[in-house]
């Protein structure tokens, strides 16, 4: 870390990026996605959610944004470069 990737738009509520290699998974259904959730779909798709909504899908939680206010406007409607960092 830090890691910068180009994330693509999907469904008007999330940005995604496919990894070259699989990560270990511990999938669960969160029932509700929260704005700022950072999840792994399957074992190679990193997803950053910028809107809250109910979901039937399963994900592995990677982390999240502590203060996601303004996230939707920051990421916009198309592809965006996102830098991930670990903070205290």
């Amino acid at each position: 870390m830090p890691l910068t990737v180009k994330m693509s738009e999907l469904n008007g509520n999330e940005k995604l990026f496919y990894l070259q290699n699989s990560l270990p998974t511990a999938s669960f259904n969160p029932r509700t996605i929260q704005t700022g959730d950072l999840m792994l779909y399957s074992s190679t798709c990193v997803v950053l959610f910028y809107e809250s909504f109910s979901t039937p899908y399963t994900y592995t939680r990677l982390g999240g944004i502590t203060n996601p206010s303004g996230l939707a406007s920051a990421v916009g409607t198309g592809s965006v470069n996102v830098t991930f960092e670990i903070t205290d």
Side-chain angles (χ1 to χ4, degrees), residues 7 15-17 19 38-40 44-48 62 84:
M7 300 189 85
K15 302 292 183 183
L16 60 90
F17 173 78
L19 301 168
L38 181 64
M39 305 282 213
L40 182 66
T44 60
C45 186
V46 176
V47 186
L48 174 62
L62 296 176
F84 295 101

Side-chain angles (χ1 to χ4, degrees), residues 1-2 64-67 83-88:
M1 292 291 187
I65 295 175
T66 306
N67 182 0
T83 299
F84 295 101
E85 298 177 349
I86 298 173
T87 60
D88 296 332

Side-chain angles (χ1 to χ4, degrees), residues 23-70:
L23 292 178
T25 61
S27 296
F28 74 104
N29 179 315
R31 300 195 197 294
T32 301
I33 295 292
Q34 299 299 323
T35 301
D37 281 348
L38 181 64
M39 305 282 213
L40 182 66
Y41 180 73
S42 186
S43 63
T44 60
C45 186
V46 176
V47 186
L48 174 62
F49 294 96
Y50 61 89
E51 296 288 341
S52 297
F53 63 96
S54 297
T55 183
Y57 298 105
T58 60
Y59 302 90
T60 298
R61 183 172 304 285
L62 296 176
I65 295 175
T66 306
N67 182 0
S69 63

